[in-house]
Amino acid sequence: MDASTIRLSSQLPPLPAISLRRTATHKHNRFLSASSLGHVQTKRFNLEDGGGVPRAQKFDEAAFEAERLRLDAAARESMAEISKRDDVEGDPKAWKWVIRKRIWDLMEARNFAQNPRPVHHRIPNFVGAAAAAQKMAQLEAFQGAQCVKVNPDSPQKQVRLLTLTGGGGKKLLTPQPRLRTGFFSVLNASMLTPSTIHEACTSIGVAKYGRPIGLDEKIKVDLIVIGSVAVDPKTGARLGKGEGFAELEYGMLRYMGAIHDSTPVVTSVHDCQLVDDIPMEKLLIHDVPVDIICTPTQVIFTNTPIPKPQGIYWDKLSPEKLGQIRVLRDLKRRIQQETGQVLPTGPSEKLPPTAARRRR
C-alpha cells in the first residue's frame, strides 16, 4: 500500500457490537437468512428467472438498451419527485435526500462529474474513477478474491474490467440493473475474447455474455464492490441513490450463504463524496456499511462499527418493491411454502414506473 493510504484500522474488524437503536430494531425484525431456515437451508430453489439456464433466444441488443434507457429515465424522474416530496418536516428519510442533493450539486458545479450527466439520481460517475479502481485492484482483499460482486453502475466499470483482466481467473458477479430482468450474471475471462471483454463490462455486455444464475447457485463471493453517493470515512456509513437495490442484493447473497459478516464491502468514490454528517443512529437495519473506501487519491479502512444486514428484512420490503422483482416474489412464496410461516410485508411506497411492468 502506498503513502496515500489512510489506515483508520490495520485490518478489517470482527463482527462489531450492535448499536442500541439497531439492536432494538433487529430484535423485532423478521427476516430469514440461510442460517435461520433450518431444513430449508439445504433445499436449493430452482427459480424460473435467472435460474442458471442459458437463454435460447437471440439477444436483442437494441431492444435491451432502449428498454434500459427508458426505465432508467423514468426511475430518475420518479426519484426526483420523491426527493421533493420527502423534503417535508418529520419524514424519516428527508435527511438522506439533503445529503444526496448536496453531493450531486457539488459534483456538477465543480465539474467532478463524468458522463452520464447530470449525475443527479444516479450513482455518480466521477473524474478519477479509473484511478480509484486501480487503487482497489491493489488491495490484498481484491487480489486474493476469486469471485468479486460489482455493481453495474458507470463509475465501477473499470473495476469490472480489472476483475476480468487482472489475472487469477476471477469471476465477476454483476446484478441485472434494478434486478428487473433477472438476478445476477457471472462472467470470467474464459467466456470472452479480447474483442468482447470491454463490452462485457457494460450492462448490455453482462446480459449478452454473462451466465445468469439464481438463488439455487452454489457460489462464494470473496469481495463486494458497491456504488455510493456519499460515505463517511470514519464510520463506513453509506448512502446510495435511494432505490435500495444494493441492500436487496446484499440480503439475497446472505440468504444464499454466499457472503458473511467478514466479507469485505468496498466502495469507490470521488474525494468530494466523503462526508461526516451521516448519523449512524438514523440508519436502518438493512443499510449496508462499507469496510474500505477507494478514491483517486487514497484508500481508507473504516473499521466500521455498523453491523451488516443478516438477510432479507421482509417487514421493510414494500408490496410495490416486491412486485418489481420476480426473484424476490418467488423466494418469498417458496420460503412460506417450505416453512409454513407467513412472512411480513412492509409499508406501501411510491416507486418508479418499473414497478408497473407486466408480471410474466
Side-chain angles (χ1 to χ4, degrees), residues 134-320:
Q134 288 290 345
K135 288 192 177 296
M136 190 181 298
Q138 295 168 12
L139 293 172
E140 182 179 343
F142 184 92
Q143 293 178 351
Q146 290 300 302
C147 180
V148 183
K149 183 264 182 185
V150 187
N151 58 296
D153 300 284
S154 296
Q156 284 73 43
K157 181 179 179 180
Q158 185 69 12
V159 177
R160 298 191 292 274
L161 180 62
L162 290 171
T163 300
L164 293 173
T165 61
K170 285 181 172 54
K171 291 180 181 178
L172 171 64
L173 184 67
T174 301
Q176 290 294 320
R178 294 187 171 86
L179 300 174
R180 60 174 175 251
T181 58
F183 186 39
F184 287 93
S185 293
V186 174
L187 300 100
N188 60 46
S190 66
M191 303 165 62
L192 305 165
T193 67
S195 63
T196 61
I197 199 161
H198 282 81
E199 183 185 8
C201 298
T202 67
S203 294
I204 288 180
V206 168
K208 184 176 180 180
Y209 301 111
R211 177 176 68 84
I213 68 169
L215 289 165
D216 56 332
E217 187 85 5
K218 294 180 180 179
I219 192 168
K220 178 179 182 293
V221 176
D222 302 301
L223 182 69
I224 293 177
V225 180
I226 192 170
S228 303
V229 173
V231 62
D232 189 326
K234 293 184 178 180
T235 67
R238 165 200 170 270
L239 297 182
K241 63 179 178 286
E243 291 187 290
F245 284 100
E247 287 74 21
L248 289 174
E249 293 158 10
Y250 187 94
M252 285 187 279
L253 289 173
R254 283 299 293 248
Y255 166 78
M256 294 169 67
I259 60 174
H260 41 76
D261 281 301
S262 62
T263 304
V265 178
V266 189
T267 193
S268 58
V269 295
H270 192 275
D271 291 89
C272 76
Q273 293 174 259
L274 302 177
V275 301
D276 61 3
D277 58 345
I278 299 178
M280 286 197 300
E281 68 276 8
K282 291 186 178 181
L283 294 176
L284 301 177
I285 192 71
H286 57 264
D287 286 330
V288 179
V290 300
D291 299 297
I292 308 173
I293 304 168
C294 296
T295 80
T297 67
Q298 57 189 321
V299 174
I300 304 169
F301 290 77
T302 69
N303 194 21
T304 179
I306 303 169
K308 292 175 180 172
Q310 301 297 299
I312 300 169
Y313 296 87
W314 298 102
D315 60 343
K316 304 297 183 184
L317 192 59
S318 71
E320 293 81 7

